Amino acid sequence: MAPDLKKPSSSVSILGLGYVGLCTAATFASRGIRTIGIDIDEARIEQIRRGRAPVHEPQLGEMLKRVVKKKLLDATSDVSRATDTNTSFLTVGTPSQPDGSIDLTYVKQATRELGKALQKKQSYHLVVVKSTVIPGTTNGTVNPVLEQSSGKVVGPSLGLCANPEFLKEGTAINDALHPDKIVIGSNDKKSADQLTRLYREFYGSRLPPVITSSPETAELVKYASNAFLATKVSFINTIANIAQHIPGVDVNRVADAIGHDPRIGHLFLKAGPGYGGSCFHKDVQALVSYSQQQGYDPQLLKAIEKTNEDQAIQVVELVEKLAGPLDQKRIAILGLAFKKDTDDIREAPSIRVIDRLRNKGARLVGYDPMAMPNFESVFGNTIELAKSSHDVLKGGDCAIVMTEWDEFRRLKAKDYIAQMRKPVLVDARRIYNPAEFRELKFAGIGFGSEPLGPGSQAEPS
Ligand code: UGA
């Protein structure tokens, strides 16, 4: 049954029940705010209405079950239901075009549908752009489409704000419940005030700092945030690649030491096989493309992407260094997801490494506790898939840890020795203490392992 929206408190509609939309809807509802989720995918809606999460995200399933049962969240494909609420969030996807620039097709479609639904609405309605959009989109694209389709003028009766989202996969619910800030970009006080009131109702006395700005600034904050985080990862990977050439040096110790400087900080300095996921690559590319359209060539951003892309070469070089020529070698890939606690393989570094290993004639077998169905649906049977983390090692000439799953952390040197034809291990995520893997041929990203032996400085990661 639909929630009772006649009660006087806030009510919201969320257009686009992908990752961000669904987590946003569930958390709004969990705070007693009546929420309607809107999507064009009927199967997804059916699943949500039954209180089931269509994506894997810790805490989301239980939260959905609770809020659907309490009738605080309903899902529908009927956009006109948005008019029963006083604020609508656009959370549709903004994929890349083949040239890297942003594709606003879904944003325009959803805005048009919403505008049509709002034609007859008498009272004030606020439209909030939460999708990641390039600066100028809220005012330059959403505004005219909304005005045209609704027949109203943005201002007194129709509000419009940009309000980017910063949640991460794997910790999305916690991030949505405890954000470090809220960014509201608006052209007028009325719309910014309504959105601030909504968040005050959501967070109560725990309202995080609310930063108000123009829509363009808010839009750029999101890109600057993801680009900076991607920079940190490519930076530490660069240091890791240098460290690898210096016997006795461990990039994890370097990262820890520099992280004590509050100007640098500890987070996002974990060296590895490169960043993946649906956002960093897409957003940095979109920012590069946008910037070039404006006549500025952002060299730094391009280098961040190139460094990330090339990190797969570093991983494969370590494998070759330890295992020799790869033709016909059996290589075990531990982890396919772009990070732990998700089944998402989009832009995963495992895919870039697999690609290179296949080109070199290696025979590959992979295992992931969660992402294998997604991997299979995209890549079919291009590589063999194993049933467990022990199974994947069987008869292997080399194993590579590509995702930092806890399940892999529990594997000991003896497990590798027992299962593999040759116990050779490349720890691309640095989940192991090298000192405990002396019996193996072992290499780790950012670990100058040349003279690793008794008395070496190797310390726990
Ligand atoms: C990222 C941002 O962190 C979120 O703030 C943002 O809201 C989101 O994109 C988005 O735009 O929707 P997410 O892609 O879920 O979130 O994942 P992250 O935890 O940021 O990790 C991205 C990649 O960087 C992963 O492959 C991860 O393994 C890698 N990474 C991260 C490192 O290699 N080293 C690190 O120190 C941190």
Side-chain angles (χ1 to χ4, degrees):
M1 212 180 85
D4 175 10
L5 298 172
K6 299 287 177 304
K7 285 187 198 157
S9 73
S10 296
S11 52
V12 299
S13 42
I14 316 280
L15 281 82
L17 297 177
Y19 208 82
V20 168
L22 193 54
C23 292
T24 306
T27 47
F28 266 119
S30 77
R31 291 292 159 98
I33 294 166
R34 288 151 306 130
T35 305
I36 296 182
I38 301 170
D39 201 287
I40 49 175
D41 183 339
E42 294 285 358
R44 181 169 279 249
I45 287 164
E46 213 30 62
Q47 242 182 312
I48 297 166
R49 292 186 75 138
R50 286 203 215 110
R52 293 212 198 113
V55 292
H56 175 81
E57 178 61 38
Q59 298 183 51
L60 177 63
E62 299 140 47
M63 187 175 264
L64 271 183
K65 210 174 285 166
R66 244 186 356 258
V67 294
V68 168
K69 198 168 169 207
K70 285 188 178 165
K71 299 190 171 54
L72 285 160
L73 173 69
D74 191 21
T76 176
S77 58
D78 178 5
V79 187
S80 72
R81 293 275 306 282
T83 59
D84 297 339
T85 68
N86 38 40
T87 304
S88 293
F89 287 85
L90 296 173
T91 52
V92 292
T94 49
S96 304
Q97 313 238 42
D99 67 354
S101 63
I102 191 170
D103 180 351
L104 291 173
T105 309
Y106 302 124
V107 170
K108 288 182 202 161
Q109 260 170 22
T111 306
R112 200 171 300 119
E113 294 305 313
L114 178 62
K116 279 194 239 161
L118 291 172
Q119 275 172 3
K120 292 193 189 109
K121 186 167 177 182
Q122 301 296 322
S123 55
Y124 185 78
H125 195 94
L126 175 63
V127 177
V128 182
V129 182
K130 201 173 246 317
S131 302
T132 298
V133 291
I134 215 74
T137 305
T138 300
N139 277 338
T141 302
V142 176
N143 186 319
V145 174
L146 191 61
E147 289 194 335
Q148 206 203 12
S149 54
S150 66
K152 297 177 183 221
V153 178
V154 168
S157 66
L158 190 55
L160 182 60
C161 286
N163 172 224
E165 180 53 62
F166 303 98
L167 54 80
K168 307 182 279 305
E169 288 190 24
T171 54
I173 297 297
N174 193 52
D175 292 346
L177 293 176
H178 308 284
D180 46 37
K181 63 187 168 302
I182 290 169
V183 179
I184 297 178
S186 73
N187 298 307
D188 64 338
K189 193 170 170 327
K190 187 171 178 177
S191 57
D193 283 352
Q194 174 156 324
L195 192 52
T196 307
R197 268 198 308 278
L198 177 65
Y199 281 124
R200 200 166 280 135
E201 191 178 328
F202 187 119
Y203 294 105
S205 59
R206 295 196 169 166
L207 182 73
V210 177
I211 297 147
T212 52
S213 66
S214 69
E216 290 76 12
T217 297
E219 290 162 335
L220 187 56
V221 166
K222 170 69 189 195
Y223 283 92
S225 176
N226 274 359
F228 187 71
L229 294 170
T231 308
K232 287 189 96 174
V233 176
S234 278
F235 170 79
I236 201 65
N237 285 342
T238 300
I239 299 297
N241 300 341
I242 297 169
Q244 239 154 255
H245 295 282
I246 317 170
V249 167
D250 182 345
V251 72
N252 286 351
R253 310 284 293 165
V254 176
D256 180 48
I258 63 173
H260 283 285
D261 184 332
R263 293 171 300 176
I264 296 173
H266 282 106
L267 301 178
F268 269 73
L269 287 181
K270 187 84 177 85
Y275 55 77
S278 64
C279 303
F280 283 0
H281 169 68
K282 169 179 83 78
D283 294 348
V284 176
Q285 287 286 327
L287 191 55
V288 167
S289 165
Y290 171 75
S291 177
Q292 285 172 337
Q293 279 166 23
Q294 309 308 308
Y296 173 65
D297 191 29
Q299 308 273 8
L300 175 65
L301 299 182
K302 291 199 296 195
I304 290 158
E305 275 282 282
K306 175 88 173 92
T307 304
N308 193 58
E309 188 72 29
D310 288 356
Q311 198 61 9
I313 301 175
Q314 297 289 329
V315 176
V316 173
E317 274 180 11
L318 280 180
V319 175
E320 280 176 318
K321 195 169 141 197
L322 263 54
L326 296 178
D327 193 33
Q328 294 308 310
K329 291 268 163 66
R330 185 172 168 86
I331 313 285
I333 311 288
L334 282 82
L336 301 167
F338 83 98
K339 63 177 181 178
K340 71 168 186 171
D341 293 337
T342 175
D343 60 359
D344 198 340
I345 58 157
R346 285 175 292 176
E347 301 296 336
S350 63
I351 296 168
R352 296 189 285 273
V353 167
I354 286 171
D355 210 37
R356 287 183 179 274
L357 293 171
R358 285 183 73 221
N359 287 341
K360 288 181 180 273
R363 292 182 296 125
L364 304 179
V365 50
Y367 169 72
D368 190 286
M370 219 171 258
M372 289 201 293
N374 278 344
F375 187 86
E376 244 179 328
S377 70
V378 180
F379 296 101
N381 56 3
T382 45
I383 73 166
E384 187 185 326
L385 293 175
K387 290 194 170 58
S388 70
S389 52
H390 286 263
D391 219 32
V392 73
L393 302 176
K394 276 187 187 144
D397 294 298
C398 180
I400 316 172
V401 176
M402 287 301 304
T403 313
E404 71 281 25
W405 286 104
D406 292 342
E407 185 176 330
F408 302 152
R409 284 179 203 273
R410 289 194 285 271
L411 290 172
K412 302 273 182 271
K414 64 177 172 44
D415 298 314
Y416 285 92
I417 293 166
Q419 302 288 353
M420 297 181 73
R421 200 172 76 84
K422 288 195 177 144
V424 176
L425 174 60
V426 171
D427 183 1
R429 286 288 185 173
R430 297 299 311 276
I431 61 172
Y432 297 126
N433 175 1
E436 290 170 12
F437 284 78
R438 284 183 210 282
E439 297 157 75
L440 274 75
K441 263 191 171 178
F442 178 94
I445 287 282
F447 180 63
S449 61
E450 228 52 286
L452 179 63
S456 84
Q457 294 300 303
E459 291 182 46
S461 323

